[in-house]
Amino acid sequence: MSNVSAVRPTHKMHVTATDPLYASGPLVADRVGPSFDDRPYERFSVAPMTPTIGAEVDGIRLGGDLDEETMAELRRALLEWKVLVFRDQDIERSAHRAFASKWGELEEHPFIKYGKYPGQTDADVVTLERDVSVAGIENNWHHDVSWSRAPSFGAVLRAVEVPAVGGDTLFADTCAAYDLLPDAIKERIDSLVAEHDWVPNFGKSMTPDVIAALRPDYPAAQHPVVRVIPETGRRTLFVNTNFTQRILGVSEAESNELLTLLYRHVQRAEFQVRLRWRKDTVAFWDNRTCQHYAASDYYPQRRIMDRLSIVGDVPVGIAGSPVAQEA
Ligand SMILES: [Fe+2]
């Protein structure tokens, strides 16, 4: 693997007050930062899906019995590619859980109502069953549970049943997106903090009494707009359309301007990979370094996924200290 050199778009772009970033020009990002331990993988093969995000990993069967050398290579591959895709993993739910557990403590999502797949016996694996009764709730770009003080490290999703076509998941590389921001924008956002909250999203289907009852356990959180990944020092954008409410310490107009600009930038095609699922495809994404979007284009067909997520840490900004005090 060798890094491609970054071609910064700033001098090529026609910057306007209303649309400063959405102009044509090269968007060629580094896949990893300078401190990345860049060595070949020996335990499996890696086939890139795009220049910076997403790779198909072949040659291993997922489970709890992967040895430490393989896990170390997988940790390195996840940092490099942000999304790892494993095909033809007709594994038991217990193996799915054992694999996810090797990455850290598993967590539950407090609001999403999980369906139970017929025959499901392992209560620790949650099944997302999406059909006409639960349509279109994940087709917004987001980092999972960014409203939490310590958002998920990542998630491991296995396709149980997929439509013949449709139901793809898209991922966006928020490290590449940060790197290719003009310096003037970086200077504006590097030390800013944003508030994230679940109420305007999950709370839409709740009564005020239910929201009030949940609030003490699930307060809003404050996170750096630019997050630093501890293992690599890499910077990544950490605001998203689902949960980020506002940037603190600036006017509402400036907050809206910056968030709109950043969202549009992250959503540019050059930062994306689009995963077409097959039955028994497993996707494992680093929730810190990418956002995702589940396309809701397949109803009335069904899409059933087994999902596990892994506890993450409190985001740290460039200044080096967490800001995730509860709002
Ligand atoms: Fe999600």
Side-chain angles (χ1 to χ4, degrees):
M1 189 219 76
S2 62
N3 296 343
V4 290
S5 60
V7 178
R8 310 249 172 221
T10 47
H11 61 287
K12 294 274 189 185
M13 296 177 68
H14 301 285
V15 177
T16 70
T18 56
D19 207 356
L21 290 179
Y22 213 74
S24 60
L27 286 172
V28 182
D30 287 328
R31 181 162 60 250
V32 293
S35 71
F36 182 72
D37 180 14
D38 185 6
R39 288 179 285 124
Y41 298 102
E42 298 178 352
R43 295 304 185 101
F44 44 75
S45 64
V46 171
M49 299 166 74
T50 78
T52 75
I53 181 170
E56 291 204 15
V57 174
D58 195 22
I60 60 174
R61 183 173 175 83
L62 302 183
D65 56 350
L66 296 174
D67 62 30
E68 192 43 50
E69 288 77 10
T70 304
M71 288 300 299
E73 288 205 352
L74 284 173
R75 280 191 282 275
R76 198 151 49 85
L78 188 68
L79 289 171
E80 179 174 4
W81 293 103
K82 298 91 183 177
V83 183
L84 302 181
V85 175
F86 307 85
R87 299 290 190 183
D88 303 318
Q89 298 289 326
D90 57 340
I91 57 175
E92 299 291 328
R93 290 193 169 88
S94 57
H96 182 175
R97 186 186 60 186
F99 172 70
S101 297
K102 290 184 81 71
W103 295 80
E105 184 184 349
L106 304 183
E107 62 184 8
E108 293 180 11
H109 195 293
F111 304 132
I112 292 178
K113 301 302 181 194
Y114 296 105
K116 292 292 183 187
Y117 189 61
Q120 182 168 338
T121 55
D122 189 336
D124 289 332
V125 176
V126 289
T127 304
L128 297 170
E129 183 170 340
R130 298 289 180 248
D131 57 20
V132 288
S133 68
V134 191
I137 64 171
E138 286 136 354
N139 57 338
N140 264 312
W141 286 101
H142 62 285
H143 301 274
D144 283 332
V145 295
S146 72
W147 47 267
S148 166
R149 182 173 180 275
S152 311
F153 164 74
V156 187
L157 210 61
R158 188 176 76 90
V160 176
E161 179 182 324
V162 293
V165 66
D168 296 349
T169 300
L170 292 80
F171 300 88
D173 183 338
T174 49
C175 297
Y178 174 80
D179 283 355
L180 294 191
L181 283 170
D183 288 344
I185 301 295
K186 290 179 179 174
E187 287 166 14
R188 290 178 66 189
I189 66 170
D190 275 354
S191 61
L192 293 178
V193 172
E195 181 175 293
H196 298 239
D197 197 0
W198 56 272
V199 170
N201 186 284
F202 293 112
K204 280 188 298 191
S205 57
M206 300 176 184
T207 66
D209 287 350
V210 169
I211 293 172
L214 289 168
R215 195 45 141 171
D217 289 333
Y218 304 108
Q222 297 176 4
H223 296 307
V225 171
V226 181
R227 179 178 184 175
V228 177
I229 305 305
E231 302 97 302
T232 59
R234 194 95 195 267
R235 296 178 180 182
T236 188
L237 283 174
F238 201 66
V239 290
N240 69 88
T241 56
N242 259 19
F243 302 123
T244 306
Q245 304 305 316
R246 61 193 169 92
I247 294 176
L248 305 174
V250 299
S251 70
E252 184 176 352
E254 185 172 0
S255 171
N256 289 338
E257 177 215 343
L258 285 171
L259 289 175
T260 301
L261 174 157
L262 295 174
Y263 295 155
R264 294 195 66 177
H265 182 62
V266 166
Q267 292 165 19
R268 293 198 73 160
E270 287 84 353
F271 304 134
Q272 293 180 17
V273 63
R274 182 171 183 133
L275 171 60
R276 185 165 186 182
W277 297 90
R278 301 195 298 258
K279 184 180 185 311
D280 295 327
T281 295
V282 170
F284 181 13
W285 68 87
D286 185 333
N287 191 51
R288 308 168 303 172
T289 56
C290 66
Q291 297 187 13
H292 57 281
Y293 179 115
S296 286
D297 55 0
Y298 52 92
Y299 304 104
Q301 297 178 84
R302 288 199 308 180
R303 178 181 185 270
I304 298 176
M305 299 279 172
D306 279 349
R307 179 187 189 279
L308 286 168
S309 63
I310 299 152
V311 172
D313 54 9
V314 177
V316 171
I318 293 171
S321 57
V323 293
Q325 68 270 23
E326 289 152 0

